Amino acid sequence: MNERNIRILEFPKIQEMIAALAVTESGRECCRALEPSSDPDEILRMQAETEEASSVLAYTGSNPMVWFTDVREYVKLAKVGSTLSPKALLAVADMLKASRAVRNALVTDREDTPLLTEMGSRLSTNRNLEERICDAILSEDEISDHASPELYNIRRQMRVLNDRVRDKLNSLIRSQNTQKYLMDAIITVRNGRYVVPVKAECRQNVPGIVHDQSGSGSTLFIEPMAVVEAGNELKQWTLKEHNEIERILADFSADIAPDAELYANNLQLLANVDMIFARSALGRSMRAVPPKLNREGRVNLIRARHPLIDPANVVPFNLWLGQDFSTLVITGPNTGGKTVTLKTVGMLTLMAQAGMQIPAAFGSELAIFDEVYADIGDEQSIEQSLSTFSSHMTNIVSILENVTPQSLVLFDELGAGTDPTEGAALAMAILDHLRTLGVTTLATTHYSELKVYALTTQGVENASVEFDVETLRPTYRLSIGIPGKSNAFEISRKLGLSEALIQDANERLSRDQVRFEDVIANAEYHRQIAEKERELAEEAHRETQRLRNEAEKLQRELESRRETELKKAKEQARQVLKKAQAESEQLISELKKHRNGDLKEHELHAMRAKLQDAIDSNSEKIAKAQPESDEVPTNLKVGDTVLLLDLNATATILTLPDHKGECTVQAGALKLKSNVNRMRRAKPPKENKPKSSSHVSVGLRPVEMECDVRGNTLEEALLAVDMFLDGAILNKLREVNIIHGKGTGVLRAGIHKHLKSHPAVKSFRLGRYGEGDDGVTVVTMK
């Protein structure tokens, strides 16, 4: 597309925003070179790539791209046989590592990313070479000893020679005969040789080779003759080390050369993948959506936003054209947002055709154009919301010469800058020419003639941007179907212009002009009223929806609570039945034990009483609330007990029913409203009475089968136990229970100690499951 049109619509700023989100330098270069395409197949492919990248980001939560240095030059050097430096080889290894990471991230079993999977499968990897380079080269300046066996041996010999030379020099500088000739008792290195600092006047006293001297000439750095031979040998080993390192680097470079073309292809693929994920990341940051694309010139933008305006300040707009009309004339006051609308349509079109998602709502649709032409003032800045009245007729001529029916044309202040009558006529002629060609066109203007032209011409439609005269501020809302009003008189009046001057100016308008402006003002007034009413209706709808959602949520909570209560009741019934089963099994066991023996009458009475108590207790727990009748209750009073059919629970009436039959009830800890139609009368819950001790009757005197001493002191408990055992002896009971509870164990220990020495006690034990466990002691009498 034309570079000037791209620049006018400020697309380069979008390119920089994408580049800032790229991971690699090659990816950033690819982003800066990204341009809109006019090929429908290419556009659809780029849009699919961006959508697939969004899917990967949503699924994995991270960008698969890994940073690496641009190695294009290094690959070229290796291809022609050059030996790469350690830095270059490490950079190539990083590129191979990044290729492997991206390939592993993209080549998966996912079925919704076919394009990215195909790109990932084309990435070449060489993990063996990558790991060998990383193992051999520790940094840009250090090669590992284990880079090769030969290098390891060379460095081992060098360490031995280094130690030998330093030992000799240490012995020399510690010698009393030599120290007086030295400037300092240290060992240093000059030109790769070990030397000692010798006073210049003592040169003859320290035989050796001078390698350097101080700036003042007072100190000579001499390699003593005793270490010259070892130093020469060390120099030879150093040269061998250098040659071996060069050989290692050359081998690595030779390993890269055969695959140089594959690695160059990797770099291109990685840069492209980086750009695709940068496009997706930009869309996520803008809350953008993938646009629907067509080739019929239809544009339908829903809540579209300009990507360069602060999201906190931008006002979304809806715009459509290309179906009932192909030309849209936008009118309204200055700084009202007309130019912003033009630039937004142009920018979103360029973004869509560059494979990017657009900042708009789902369902937005854009056409694929072969070119986007824009005649908008160069001095405009979209961020500053400034408009311009400049017009470039040379640019318009160029547009008319090159435009096609598949083009999009954007005119800002068409026909301005000349005589208004001639400018309006020229603008109408240009718009009519483009309409005849079938070109999709948007134009802004202040000319009333163009408003009339749009009202009276098939295929042309008016649109306007709102302006609040009271606050002298634009609302930036776009309305299609109604021409705008410049509001020059109202603005001037608010700014303090004399009413006489305004009246004089108004009288100078023709009657037709006044009537037309009044029609526009009346239409705009009724449109704003309709818009407010629509907003009120939408708000009422949202409130109704909210209340409905709350009611549904409450109903779900009640159903959930009912299910929970039912589950709880079933569990309690299961536990009760389990306990009853255990007690029945115990009684059966005792009956079997006495089958062959003499079962005395009082023992049989005791067993019957115990079984009856268990049955009564379990019956109370299992019993559910039952209504007294199936009729809807009438004459309800506060405090009456009812059964709530929805919850299958009893409740107490708190308030009398209202005219709708609604009343407040208390069901346990839950207070709620319910209709009397969903209630039935129920019996009030029985008051909990103290449980009477189980007993058998002998004659007219009841004989207790158990003694409850919980809550007593040990002395009181022992006294009660003695009296209880006396009664058991008199009534010839064989087995009785003493209930002492679990607590701290003091009562149980004291009672057990007492029972051991009681003459009437044959044995005793703690209760079993169903008898009270450790809280009960079962005593067998003699």
Side-chain angles (χ1 to χ4, degrees):
M1 287 191 175
N2 184 274
E3 186 275 334
R4 180 180 181 278
N5 295 321
I6 291 176
R7 177 176 50 80
I8 287 176
L9 293 172
E10 301 181 274
F11 187 73
K13 293 183 179 180
I14 298 296
Q15 293 172 318
E16 288 298 325
M17 291 173 69
I18 302 175
L21 296 171
V23 176
T24 65
E25 184 57 39
S26 56
R28 284 189 279 273
E29 289 180 7
C30 199
C31 291
R32 294 188 181 100
L34 175 65
E35 289 189 356
S37 171
S38 56
D39 180 5
D41 294 334
E42 183 181 4
I43 294 170
L44 293 173
R45 178 183 57 78
M46 290 192 295
Q47 283 289 343
E49 290 171 347
T50 305
E51 183 63 16
E52 288 183 14
S54 298
S55 178
V56 171
L57 287 174
Y59 182 77
T60 64
S62 61
N63 190 336
M65 281 301 302
V66 179
W67 180 89
F68 62 89
T69 306
D70 188 357
V71 297
R72 283 174 288 189
E73 292 301 321
Y74 301 150
V75 172
K76 289 179 182 177
L77 289 174
K79 185 178 180 181
V80 298
S82 298
T83 299
L84 301 182
S85 66
K87 176 182 178 181
L89 289 170
L90 285 175
V92 172
D94 288 341
M95 182 273 295
L96 290 173
K97 187 182 298 183
S99 300
R100 181 163 53 86
V102 173
R103 181 186 175 91
N104 291 340
L106 299 184
V107 181
T108 63
D109 297 333
R110 293 170 59 89
E111 298 180 356
D112 58 343
T113 57
L115 296 176
L116 292 181
T117 299
E118 189 273 334
M119 291 178 66
S121 64
R122 286 160 49 198
L123 287 169
S124 301
T125 60
N126 192 337
R127 187 165 187 172
N128 180 46
L129 178 60
E130 168 198 331
E131 292 179 347
R132 283 170 48 217
I133 291 175
C134 292
D135 290 342
I137 304 174
L138 302 180
S139 69
E140 297 179 8
D141 305 314
E142 184 179 3
I143 306 297
S144 171
D145 292 352
H146 301 284
S148 73
E150 183 64 24
L151 182 62
Y152 179 82
N153 291 330
I154 290 172
R155 287 184 172 172
R156 184 171 57 83
Q157 292 292 336
M158 291 175 65
R159 284 192 290 270
V160 171
L161 286 173
N162 266 314
D163 293 341
R164 188 189 307 168
V165 170
R166 294 189 70 86
D167 288 343
K168 288 183 178 180
L169 289 177
N170 281 325
S171 177
L172 182 67
I173 64 177
R174 286 196 296 267
S175 171
Q176 295 294 332
N177 295 330
T178 308
Q179 280 187 355
K180 58 187 177 182
Y181 306 126
L182 301 179
M183 186 66 71
D184 289 301
I186 60 172
I187 301 171
T188 186
V189 178
R190 288 293 186 275
N191 300 323
R193 312 286 290 212
Y194 287 103
V195 296
V196 294
V198 180
K199 299 174 183 178
E201 62 271 17
C202 302
R203 165 70 182 85
Q204 301 301 325
N205 301 101
V206 182
I209 300 174
V210 178
H211 288 283
D212 199 2
Q213 67 177 9
S214 64
S216 63
S218 60
T219 303
L220 301 177
F221 296 95
I222 298 176
E223 181 182 16
M225 291 302 297
V227 297
V228 168
E229 187 62 31
N232 290 337
E233 188 176 356
L234 183 60
K235 194 73 174 176
Q236 291 175 359
W237 284 106
T238 303
L239 183 60
K240 289 181 181 180
E241 178 194 32
H242 176 74
N243 292 337
E244 179 61 16
I245 290 175
E246 285 296 316
R247 185 193 67 77
I248 293 170
L249 299 179
D251 286 350
F252 281 137
S253 302
D255 290 340
I256 293 173
D259 298 327
E261 291 293 337
L262 293 177
Y263 298 155
N265 181 59
N266 272 17
L267 291 169
Q268 185 175 356
L269 285 171
L270 289 172
N272 196 23
V273 170
D274 197 5
M275 177 186 65
I276 291 171
F277 277 91
R279 294 201 308 251
S280 175
L282 180 66
R284 287 164 66 93
S285 67
M286 290 181 174
R287 293 179 290 114
V289 299
K292 296 179 181 178
L293 297 173
N294 66 80
R295 306 181 192 183
E296 291 78 36
R298 296 192 309 276
V299 175
N300 181 24
L301 294 175
I302 305 171
R303 297 190 61 78
R305 312 179 302 276
H306 197 289
L308 298 182
I309 300 179
D310 184 356
N313 300 326
V314 67
V315 178
F317 66 86
N318 298 336
L319 182 145
W320 62 93
L321 75 160
Q323 191 158 350
D324 298 330
F325 54 90
S326 60
T327 302
L328 187 64
V329 178
I330 305 175
T331 52
N334 296 327
T335 72
K338 301 189 300 298
T339 306
V340 171
T341 303
L342 286 187
K343 285 194 170 185
T344 302
V345 175
M347 175 69 85
L348 298 194
T349 300
L350 296 180
M351 290 176 66
Q353 297 189 201
M356 286 179 266
Q357 297 175 344
I358 60 172
F362 280 103
S364 295
E365 186 175 10
L366 285 169
I368 296 176
F369 297 104
D370 60 4
E371 184 66 75
V372 178
Y373 296 100
D375 181 47
I376 301 173
D378 291 341
E379 65 272 21
Q380 279 203 335
S381 173
I382 196 67
E383 287 103 337
Q384 297 178 5
S385 299
L386 298 175
S387 294
T388 179
F389 295 96
S390 7
S391 173
H392 306 280
M393 187 53 63
T394 303
N395 186 37
I396 294 176
V397 171
S398 175
I399 292 173
L400 296 178
E401 290 175 350
N402 297 286
V403 74
T404 69
Q406 288 74 43
S407 301
L408 172 65
V409 180
L410 307 173
F411 289 126
D412 189 30
E413 303 293 351
L414 180 61
T418 184
D419 178 75
T421 303
E422 295 179 353
L426 190 60
M428 285 188 287
I430 293 171
L431 291 178
D432 208 54
H433 173 69
L434 294 174
R435 181 186 63 82
T436 304
L437 292 177
V439 179
T440 303
T441 308
L442 280 84
T444 67
T445 185
H446 285 286
Y447 293 144
S448 298
E449 291 86 349
L450 287 182
K451 303 175 189 177
V452 176
Y453 166 77
L455 285 172
T456 57
T457 306
Q458 182 71 25
V460 185
E461 186 60 86
N462 271 303
S464 61
V465 289
E466 292 182 4
F467 188 86
D468 191 336
V469 180
E470 296 298 325
T471 61
L472 298 182
R473 294 180 64 85
T475 64
Y476 303 109
R477 291 174 181 157
L478 179 69
S479 301
I480 294 180
I482 298 177
K485 187 178 180 182
S486 296
N487 295 300
F489 291 169
E490 288 79 1
I491 294 174
S492 300
R493 182 179 290 109
K494 283 290 182 181
L495 293 176
L497 188 64
S498 168
E499 187 64 33
L501 291 177
I502 294 173
Q503 184 64 29
D504 183 35
N506 192 35
E507 291 174 355
R508 294 175 185 272
L509 292 175
S510 67
R511 180 172 299 176
D512 290 340
Q513 288 175 320
V514 173
R515 186 181 298 112
F516 181 69
E517 290 296 326
D518 289 343
V519 169
I520 292 176
N522 187 51
E524 175 64 13
Y525 171 74
H526 285 90
R527 188 200 66 77
Q528 291 185 8
I529 291 178
E531 180 70 18
K532 290 180 180 178
E533 290 178 349
R534 184 185 64 80
E535 291 177 356
L536 290 174
E538 289 181 352
E539 180 64 28
H541 175 70
R542 286 193 294 269
E543 180 65 17
T544 303
Q545 188 66 32
R546 185 184 66 80
L547 293 174
R548 178 183 174 185
N549 292 338
E550 289 181 357
E552 290 177 350
K553 180 181 178 183
L554 180 59
Q555 183 177 0
R556 288 194 298 269
E557 289 178 353
L558 290 174
E559 288 292 333
S560 175
R561 188 173 298 177
R562 178 175 178 271
E563 291 295 326
T564 302
E565 292 296 331
L566 286 175
K567 288 180 181 179
K568 184 178 178 181
K570 290 178 181 179
E571 179 62 22
Q572 289 176 348
R574 189 182 69 81
Q575 293 295 335
V576 168
L577 291 174
K578 188 175 181 181
K579 180 179 178 182
Q581 182 182 9
E583 292 177 349
S584 301
E585 289 176 355
Q586 181 185 352
L587 291 173
I588 292 171
S589 175
E590 292 179 3
L591 287 172
K592 286 181 179 180
K593 185 171 64 174
H594 293 291
R595 178 180 296 172
N596 299 323
D598 293 331
L599 185 62
K600 296 181 179 180
E601 184 67 21
H602 68 85
E603 293 177 348
L604 183 59
H605 281 300
M607 290 180 183
R608 287 175 177 171
K610 190 173 184 181
L611 180 59
Q612 187 62 43
D613 284 347
I615 293 173
D616 292 343
S617 175
N618 294 337
S619 298
E620 290 178 3
K621 293 181 180 178
I622 296 175
K624 297 181 179 178
Q626 296 293 334
E628 290 183 343
S629 68
D630 292 333
E631 297 179 357
V632 176
T634 57
N635 300 323
L636 287 173
K637 295 179 291 184
V638 175
D640 285 355
T641 302
V642 294
L643 174 66
L644 301 180
L645 299 180
D646 292 331
L647 299 179
N648 194 28
T650 57
T652 303
I653 300 293
L654 298 181
T655 61
L656 295 178
D658 58 15
H659 65 284
K660 296 181 180 179
E662 300 281 342
C663 62
T664 305
V665 297
Q666 180 85 34
L670 182 66
K671 185 182 292 184
L672 68 158
K673 279 186 174 295
S674 181
N675 195 284
V676 293
N677 293 325
R678 304 301 301 159
M679 301 178 189
R680 297 293 183 270
R681 286 192 179 275
K683 295 179 180 180
K686 296 181 180 179
E687 296 182 1
N688 294 326
K689 297 180 180 179
K691 184 176 179 181
S692 59
S693 299
S694 298
H695 63 273
V696 296
S697 297
V698 180
L700 298 176
R701 179 186 174 190
V703 179
E704 294 182 348
M705 296 293 296
E706 58 188 28
C707 176
D708 191 346
V709 295
R710 290 176 292 181
N712 295 333
T713 63
L714 181 57
E715 291 76 9
E716 294 171 345
L718 294 179
L719 180 61
V721 167
D722 283 339
M723 293 177 65
F724 172 65
L725 293 178
D726 290 343
I729 294 169
L730 291 174
N731 289 281
K732 298 181 181 181
L733 298 182
R734 179 171 179 176
E735 189 175 86
V736 293
N737 297 335
I738 300 175
I739 304 174
H740 44 67
K742 297 178 181 180
T744 60
V746 173
L747 284 179
R748 181 181 60 209
I751 290 172
H752 284 188
K753 183 178 179 182
H754 182 66
L755 292 176
K756 287 179 181 180
S757 59
H758 199 286
V761 174
K762 179 179 180 182
S763 64
F764 61 89
R765 61 176 174 82
L766 290 174
R768 300 190 184 97
Y769 177 78
E771 295 179 331
D773 300 326
D774 294 348
V776 173
T777 296
V778 180
V779 181
T780 303
M781 311 298 292
K782 290 182 179 179

